[in-house]
Amino acid sequence: MGAYSGNLNIRPKYQREFVYQEKQRNAVIETISRGFPLNSIYWVRQTEDKDSPEFEVLDGQQRTISICEYYEGNFSVNERYFHNLENNEKENFLDYELMIYVCEGSDSEKLEWFRVINIAGVKLAEQELRNAIYTSAWLSDAKRRFSKRSCLAEQKGNKYISAMAIRQEILELALSWITGISYEKKGDDKAICEYMAKVAKDEKNSDKLWGYFCNVIDWVEMKFPKYRKEMKGLEWGLFYNEFKDKSLDKDELEEKISALMQDDEIQSKKGIYAYALSGNEKHLNLRTFSENIKREVFEAQNGICKKCNKKCDIEQMEADHIKPWSEGGKTEKQNCQMLCKTCNRTKSNK
């Protein structure tokens, strides 16, 4: 979709799908019709030829498309199409001046600039920002597989992921996993940028990323054939990276998971899958002793640590399971002892 005498690409391949709702789209037209200021629009220069510049819309695609679609007569505002307007109204609409800035510089400079200006309208996600910088044949193919409504990735892994294709979230998810970054924590994206810069230069298609994503989902379905709602949205790619080469029996895993799902000591059922793979109890968010139980046990012990016999204030002590959860211990008063913080944390680290 082009404009500006053919020198402006309104819908670059890296950009999002059209996401404006009718109310937002109409607001753009009403703003222009009333002569009110519209938020600034940003273009990026795609050539060094100053005499014949070519641009792409960097920020403001949704507003630009709304304007073009209204002019073409594809929708009405307050039951009035563009061709139904009075001549002076048409002239005022066409003479409306847009505030446009042009972005130039290196990839990193463009990305940082784009982040700074991304403050109005429907905000772009981090992956949409990256797509604006690392446009390539690879990205076009990746968007075909990961970024369209009902795309291949959505069809393949919808049961296991909580991400929207049209906001580039599934693509970002796959990139996070293949580079070993937690998608949920949204950490430093340097690794993703480096990956995209490399594949944009070296690869013509996204076969490698697509193959990786398929392997992750296939591994999940093979090792955890019984689907539960708690499986949706987990960091399956990171699990796959760490455990794909380990000998894991699906029946043994299911038996363990089924038993854990019935354990009322576990507060985070979603964490059961990470625990089943790693054995780390931190994923389970196990029940803790109530303040009342802590106080009652503290008074019964006369404030004396059960391990070192040191007398402490209650603020200097922590509740501990006498019989650990892993051995069947419950979070109840008769299984509680108060230890000083030093003893409890030394015990926990063993």
Side-chain angles (χ1 to χ4, degrees), residues 98-114:
L98 297 169
M99 180 66 72
I100 296 174
Y101 292 90
V102 178
C103 172
E104 301 177 272
S106 66
D107 286 350
S108 60
E109 289 171 334
K110 290 177 185 177
L111 185 57
E112 182 58 30
W113 197 62
F114 201 0

Side-chain angles (χ1 to χ4, degrees), residues 106-264:
S106 66
D107 286 350
S108 60
E109 289 171 334
K110 290 177 185 177
L111 185 57
E112 182 58 30
W113 197 62
F114 201 0
R115 283 175 174 154
V116 171
I117 66 172
N118 185 37
I119 57 176
V122 178
K123 286 193 174 184
L124 298 180
E126 279 296 310
Q127 188 56 43
E128 291 173 319
L129 302 182
R130 298 184 198 105
N131 288 357
I133 305 304
Y134 302 109
T135 180
S136 62
W138 177 90
L139 181 59
S140 297
D141 190 55
K143 282 171 62 67
R144 175 180 65 84
R145 285 165 159 161
F146 293 92
S147 304
K148 303 291 184 181
R149 287 186 174 88
S150 300
C151 62
L152 294 174
E154 191 175 77
Q155 295 176 44
K156 177 76 174 177
N158 187 52
K159 292 197 303 183
Y160 307 101
I161 59 179
S162 298
M164 291 178 59
I166 63 171
R167 291 306 302 273
Q168 310 303 318
E169 291 173 353
I170 299 180
L171 176 57
E172 182 181 41
L173 177 72
L175 288 167
S176 296
W177 286 352
I178 201 171
T179 55
I181 295 173
S182 169
Y183 176 71
E184 292 299 324
K185 292 181 181 179
K186 303 288 187 183
D188 182 5
D189 69 344
K190 181 179 178 181
I192 295 179
C193 288
E194 290 177 348
Y195 182 92
M196 290 188 69
K198 185 177 187 307
V199 295
K201 178 182 178 182
D202 299 339
E203 300 179 21
K204 299 300 183 184
N205 57 60
S206 61
D207 288 357
K208 182 177 179 180
L209 182 64
W210 173 242
Y212 168 83
F213 182 81
C214 290
N215 287 341
V216 171
I217 301 303
D218 289 344
W219 178 81
V220 174
E221 293 181 332
M222 177 174 61
K223 297 300 181 182
F224 305 95
K226 181 174 180 177
Y227 182 78
R228 295 180 175 87
K229 65 179 182 178
E230 289 82 6
M231 297 173 71
K232 191 175 183 70
L234 297 181
E235 296 273 22
W236 290 113
L238 300 187
F239 297 159
Y240 172 80
N241 295 347
E242 184 174 357
F243 300 105
K244 68 179 186 298
D245 295 325
K246 292 193 174 182
S247 178
L248 300 169
D249 183 86
K250 64 180 180 62
D251 295 325
E252 291 179 0
L253 284 171
E254 171 55 31
E255 183 179 359
K256 179 186 295 186
I257 290 168
S258 179
L260 292 169
M261 285 290 176
Q262 300 173 61
D263 191 333
D264 62 6

Side-chain angles (χ1 to χ4, degrees), residues 7-8 12 14 42-47 54-59 100-105 110 113 132-133:
N7 288 321
L8 174 66
Y14 59 75
Y42 297 84
W43 295 356
V44 60
R45 189 185 301 276
Q46 293 298 296
T47 94
E54 294 183 1
F55 306 95
E56 290 183 345
V57 175
L58 186 63
D59 184 48
I100 296 174
Y101 292 90
V102 178
C103 172
E104 301 177 272
K110 290 177 185 177
W113 197 62
I133 305 304

Side-chain angles (χ1 to χ4, degrees), residues 307-320:
K307 188 171 180 66
C308 69
N309 295 320
K310 178 182 177 181
K311 190 171 181 62
C312 305
D313 294 330
I314 192 169
E315 292 79 10
Q316 299 172 310
M317 304 187 81
E318 295 174 337
D320 174 61

